[in-house]
Amino acid sequence: MSHSLTRPEVLTLIGPGGETYRGGDQEWYPDLWQRRAGCGPTTAAALLAYLSQTRPALAPLRPLAGGTRTGFAQYMQALWPYVIPGSRGLDKPESLVLGCRSFALSRGCVLQGEVLKIPRRRENRPTPAACRDFLLRALDNDCPVAFLNYSNGSLPNLDSWHWVPLIALTEGEEVLLCTVLDEGEEKVIDLALWLETTLLGGALAAVFP
């Protein structure tokens, strides 16, 4: 069974030459440190851009030039002061949630947040069913999810120590196939495989009205 955002096209961006991107890319930041550590703010920008364009009450959060690479890059820059990476990047999921909520308050909107931590120690990790339930609560309420992974485990198409927005889930026997946006592209990862093989864990986080 599949679960997806109702308007995933909102996160399609048009470049200056007419090229298309799915979500943002931290390489669009102007500063070298931002490009190296900016996956968290880039993911936060995707979450808020989607919510602001699908909820009339959150319209004050909208990017000024939504739908374009240039406009989204400006939005990423606007998020940076609220979702500031430290020397190890944005390594705490609560920091992303707090940053999103603070940015929303600065524009007169109120958001809530929820985090599911996935610890380093395997015996302390939530089950695949618990991760699935977290994702379904968000996606079925039309909210994208921020996925933080400290170690990519057996997933060759996912960088370690990295945030990505997650926009869809397809359930199968012993798999949780998730669509994420990374480097301006859609990628499909198996979250169940990641949960089994990651060395360091990570987190799932969501913000919602």
Side-chain angles (χ1 to χ4, degrees), residues 19-207:
E19 66 275 18
T20 61
Y21 303 89
R22 294 290 287 135
D25 186 341
Q26 67 197 76
E27 290 295 325
W28 298 345
Y29 275 113
D31 179 76
L32 176 61
W33 168 244
Q34 290 180 309
R35 293 195 294 272
R36 290 182 60 188
C39 58
T42 302
T43 296
L47 267 59
L48 295 182
Y50 185 83
L51 293 176
S52 68
Q53 294 177 83
T54 56
R55 270 84 166 174
L58 298 180
L61 301 182
R62 286 188 179 187
L64 292 179
T68 68
R69 168 178 165 164
T70 299
F72 194 85
Q74 293 170 347
Y75 197 57
M76 289 161 48
Q77 192 72 18
L79 261 294
W80 183 271
Y82 297 88
V83 191
I84 303 176
S87 60
R88 289 157 48 92
L90 193 74
D91 60 348
K92 293 182 173 57
E94 297 87 353
S95 298
L96 183 136
V97 169
L98 180 60
C100 287
R101 296 183 67 193
S102 297
F103 179 79
L105 283 174
S106 76
R107 298 195 175 190
C109 299
V110 176
L111 294 176
Q112 306 301 319
E114 186 177 356
V115 169
L116 179 66
K117 291 186 176 181
I118 300 166
R120 178 174 184 166
R121 293 179 66 88
R122 190 181 307 275
E123 63 268 25
N124 294 333
R125 293 176 188 171
T127 63
C131 294
R132 168 192 173 276
D133 290 346
F134 184 98
L135 295 176
L136 294 190
R137 283 198 302 275
L139 294 172
D140 289 350
N141 282 287
D142 206 24
C143 297
V145 175
F147 172 39
L148 168 64
N149 94 95
Y150 300 125
S151 158
N152 65 355
S154 297
L155 302 186
N157 62 339
L158 184 68
D159 292 335
S160 294
W161 215 266
H162 195 44
W163 284 97
V164 290
L166 188 157
I167 65 168
L169 166 67
T170 299
E171 302 175 70
E173 187 174 350
E174 299 183 356
V175 298
L176 293 172
L177 299 180
C178 298
T179 302
V180 301
L181 306 181
D182 191 20
E183 300 177 330
E185 300 177 353
E186 280 194 10
K187 299 179 180 180
V188 176
I189 62 170
D190 182 355
L191 191 67
L193 178 61
W194 175 83
L195 191 65
E196 177 66 25
T197 61
T198 180
L199 299 178
L200 301 175
L204 300 170
V207 291

